[in-house]
Amino acid sequence: MNARMEPDKGHQPLLTASPGFESDGTGNCPMREVLDRVGDSWSLLVVINLQERPVRFNALRRSIEGISQRMLTVTLRSLERDGLVTRTVKPTTPPEVEYALTALGRSIAGPIGALGAWAAENRDHMRAARNAFDAAAA
């Protein structure tokens, strides 16, 4: 591989040939719709933090550095709306609210894990390319 990281032609299928990129007739494709939800860092961090077990709101907030209470609420509502998270209110005083991944939410762990593995494998290559690009532009 050279320093400029030329594309590796002929070894990977074209992503546009995947059903995930086919338009649904309204200009949307499945990939865009899913990335709109899980492509932001807060949603991704919520999914990662709920993977092992249900978690109460405040514990979840403490586990995600930098997230505000409002942003966590918005993120959880969006994930719940899309069927990735369930919200359970326990009849205690004060009420305990717990969040958990649904089967659909758990099923996204594989693709997220694959992306994480790719990131770990290629981060140094990306950093080297970025540094080379910046040095050439200076």
Side-chain angles (χ1 to χ4, degrees), residues 8-92:
D8 186 13
K9 295 180 179 163
H11 290 89
Q12 295 295 321
L14 288 176
L15 292 174
T16 54
S18 164
F21 293 93
E22 292 177 9
S23 176
D24 64 3
T26 64
N28 293 321
C29 69
M31 188 69 163
R32 173 146 187 178
E33 197 167 328
V34 169
L35 283 177
D36 283 347
R37 176 57 43 238
V38 296
D40 72 273
S41 59
W42 297 130
S43 292
L44 191 58
L45 290 171
V46 167
V47 169
I48 290 167
N49 279 277
L50 291 178
Q51 190 176 8
E52 290 185 33
R53 67 190 176 291
V55 179
R56 290 174 58 182
F57 182 90
N58 284 326
L60 188 57
R61 188 167 53 115
R62 285 190 300 272
S63 70
I64 302 174
E65 186 178 333
I67 195 166
S68 68
Q69 182 171 333
R70 181 187 182 293
M71 184 52 65
L72 180 56
T73 299
V74 168
T75 301
L76 286 165
R77 282 186 185 150
S78 296
L79 291 168
E80 184 180 12
R81 180 175 180 246
D82 287 342
L84 300 172
V85 168
T86 58
R87 178 180 186 268
T88 303
V89 180
K90 295 183 178 183
T92 59

